[in-house]
Amino acid sequence: MTEEKFVDNPDHPLEITDSDIDQAITKYPFFVVDCWAQWCGPCRMLTPVVDSLAKKHQGNITFGKLDVDNNPATASKYGIRSIPNLIVFKDGQKVGDIIGAMPEDRLLDEINSYR
Amino acid sequence: MYDVIIIGAGPAGLTAGIYASRANLKTLLLGSSFNPSLITTTDIIENYPGFPDGISGFELVDKLTEQAQHFGLEIISHDVSSIEKISAEGSDAWEIWADQKNFQAYSLIFSTGAEYAKLDVPGEQALTGKGVSYCATCDGPFYREKDVVVVGGGDTAVQEALFLTKFARKVTLVHRRDRLRATGVLRERAEKNEKIAFVLNSEVEEILGDTVVSGVRLKDVNTPNSAKQLRADGVFIFAGYVPNTSLLTDIVEMDDKGYIITDDQMRTSVAGIFACGDCRQKLLRQVVTACGDGATAAFAAELYIDELKGTSYEGRTIDTK
């Protein structure tokens, strides 16, 4: 099941959970996880922005989505106190957080600053 | 060429959209792609007439959007970067740039709202998202069994403090006055809530913490050099607003806080530009008044467009200022 989930070069954000996030971090060299929740208005505004970036930068940046409500271990491990929060992983290591909703071009600049 | 472009997708702008669309004006609403209406971050609205059980801010805005689209309103998520006056067939009109696209209209309705003011104290910016928050509905659940500070004494501060008691072990409301400004029912609920403590006559001077918030440094406003520290895992700031009106700087008249000045028909100092909701100077900033403003602004814009096009309905013209 999980073999199928973590395809090469997905064109959309992958649904990540507490149990498979480590596998995704290991597989994708530049991996951005959008931590969100149903009750968070700004998170829902960021969803189409992340979807669009995943499509445009397919093969270049891999995106994941993690529902913090159902996956408290990840939120706690990475010290998440505020959402939307994008965790940026490079070569298997956390390299930064991007906090708050923002326009697509600014978000891309922030992500690229961690390359 | 649009008849009306509405900027801002909160209750004021969406209501203006409903009225303008139903008037058959060619209308476009531009909403920010990242800056949501403040009301969407409100847990529950209890004072909007017609909802005896209350309604969440997000749900209300969803319903308003659906209602406006039902009447054909075109809504686009684009962030407006500039506004310029142009001439179209001898009439004044406006050109708007948003995300590298341009749109033109005979009239504009501004409903850009306001955002929470920053305290502007050391630690605030560096710890935003690391314990400092302006959205209790977003971040409240991260503070289960933790201690939080809420800064402010108005309706929002007290409402959000009450919401945070669902998660936090203790909520301390810090307010610089000697009593809360919040409306009676909220004040009473907060005073009865065992989880809420009050620190009045006090200002936050600094937000403390290295990588995450560890507390605040407070000053008693009546006693100089009276700094004391309060331990906290989170600080929620609801102490005043700043209007989102920078797009209209040097175009329309504003007060010294940046709120747009209008008459009671929502007309600004410039013909063809209207403003409604939280971004304009007014007594009471609530959803119900925002919606009222929006309806008035759309109707005033309709009269303006009719006059411009020479299609005024007899007896339904604008009185002169």
Side-chain angles (χ1 to χ4, degrees):
Chain A
M1 192 71 191
T2 43
E3 267 82 13
E4 280 171 36
K5 183 169 170 181
F6 294 131
V7 294
D8 293 332
N9 306 324
D11 67 349
H12 60 278
L14 303 166
E15 295 287 339
I16 304 298
T17 65
D18 278 348
S19 57
D20 60 20
I21 184 167
D22 288 338
Q23 195 189 338
I25 296 168
T26 315
K27 176 169 168 90
Y28 302 111
F30 197 54
F31 186 50
V32 180
V33 181
D34 173 15
C35 300
W36 72 287
Q38 193 61 38
W39 28 259
C40 160
C43 297
R44 291 203 248 172
M45 293 196 86
L46 200 61
T47 299
V49 175
V50 171
D51 289 351
S52 164
L53 285 176
K55 206 175 181 94
K56 285 183 192 162
H57 299 275
Q58 181 182 7
N60 207 355
I61 310 169
T62 306
F63 287 91
K65 283 177 74 71
L66 181 120
D67 181 341
V68 295
D69 233 5
N70 300 324
N71 300 284
T74 302
S76 158
K77 179 176 175 185
Y78 293 102
I80 302 219
R81 297 276 201 102
S82 185
I83 50 173
N85 183 325
L86 274 66
I87 315 176
V88 186
F89 296 97
K90 193 182 166 185
D91 301 326
Q93 296 294 322
K94 178 181 167 180
V95 289
D97 283 305
I98 301 167
I99 294 159
M102 57 188 81
E104 189 175 318
D105 51 351
R106 225 177 86 207
L107 183 59
L108 182 63
D109 286 348
E110 293 255 356
I111 292 170
N112 281 331
S113 73
Y114 290 108
R115 274 191 188 274
Chain B
M1 188 77 169
Y2 288 94
D3 290 324
V4 186
I5 291 179
I6 302 165
I7 303 172
L14 287 164
T15 305
I18 291 169
Y19 277 75
S21 299
R22 283 173 57 87
N24 282 346
L25 295 173
K26 192 166 185 275
T27 309
L28 170 69
L29 189 150
L30 295 170
S32 169
S33 68
F34 68 98
N35 210 1
S37 162
L38 272 194
I39 200 67
T40 62
T41 65
T42 300
D43 165 43
I44 187 152
I45 306 164
E46 291 182 323
N47 55 6
Y48 190 63
F51 293 88
D53 302 321
I55 182 168
S56 84
F58 206 96
E59 198 185 344
L60 180 65
V61 169
D62 264 358
K63 281 181 186 288
L64 284 167
T65 305
E66 193 188 321
Q67 192 175 358
Q69 283 172 330
H70 177 74
F71 294 113
L73 179 66
E74 183 183 355
I75 302 178
I76 307 180
S77 276
H78 270 335
D79 297 287
V80 176
S81 52
S82 73
I83 293 164
E84 268 174 63
K85 194 173 185 172
I86 55 168
S87 184
E89 292 165 30
S91 300
D92 283 349
W94 304 90
E95 183 170 64
I96 286 180
W97 284 90
D99 294 348
Q100 281 92 48
K101 294 191 186 89
N102 79 349
F103 305 92
Q104 296 175 343
Y106 289 111
S107 70
L108 301 179
I109 296 178
F110 257 77
S111 49
T112 44
E115 56 190 40
Y116 293 120
K118 305 276 183 282
L119 288 180
D120 212 9
V121 297
E124 182 180 22
Q125 202 185 345
L127 293 167
T128 292
K130 297 289 168 196
V132 174
S133 175
Y134 305 87
C135 179
T137 52
C138 306
D139 303 338
F142 295 112
Y143 294 89
R144 285 196 172 90
E145 293 305 308
K146 308 236 190 244
D147 297 339
V148 301
V149 165
V150 171
V151 187
D155 283 355
T156 306
V158 174
Q159 174 97 53
E160 302 305 304
L162 285 162
F163 173 73
L164 287 166
T165 60
K166 292 183 189 174
F167 311 99
R169 181 171 57 194
K170 187 179 170 194
V171 177
T172 306
L173 201 69
V174 175
H175 184 43
R176 63 195 162 95
R177 302 288 171 83
D178 61 357
R179 60 194 172 104
L180 304 177
R181 193 183 63 236
T183 197
V185 61
L186 289 174
R187 213 164 53 213
E188 202 175 282
R189 260 184 238 163
E191 281 161 5
K192 279 187 185 155
N193 193 305
E194 288 174 357
K195 281 188 173 180
I196 300 182
F198 299 90
V199 178
L200 301 175
N201 293 312
S202 294
E203 273 178 352
V204 173
E205 275 197 319
E206 185 180 357
I207 296 169
L208 307 166
D210 269 341
T211 52
V212 293
V213 167
S214 61
V216 290
R217 194 157 55 82
L218 300 174
K219 177 184 82 172
D220 187 317
V221 292
N222 298 321
T223 324
N225 307 317
S226 60
K228 66 170 183 181
Q229 289 192 9
L230 186 64
R231 209 202 65 75
D233 303 295
V235 182
F236 289 81
I237 300 168
F238 305 106
Y241 301 90
V242 180
N244 294 318
T245 53
S246 54
L247 283 168
L248 283 178
T249 307
D250 303 326
I251 299 179
V252 303
E253 265 178 47
M254 297 180 191
D255 67 12
D256 55 0
K257 289 180 177 155
Y259 289 103
I260 298 165
I261 295 171
T262 71
D263 64 8
D264 61 7
Q265 298 180 16
M266 308 301 138
R267 297 181 295 189
T268 68
S269 59
V270 175
I273 301 185
F274 303 83
C276 54
D278 285 0
C279 68
R280 78 178 187 100
Q281 187 191 59
K282 62 196 281 194
L283 178 64
L284 181 65
R285 294 194 175 83
Q286 293 278 298
V287 177
V288 67
T289 63
C291 293
D293 282 5
T296 304
F299 188 65
E302 184 189 353
L303 298 181
Y304 174 82
I305 297 288
D306 284 352
E307 185 134 306
L308 210 64
K309 293 184 174 174
T311 56
S312 293
Y313 188 85
E314 201 183 336
R316 209 178 79 159
T317 50
I318 317 174
D319 55 351
T320 47
K321 257 188 190 178

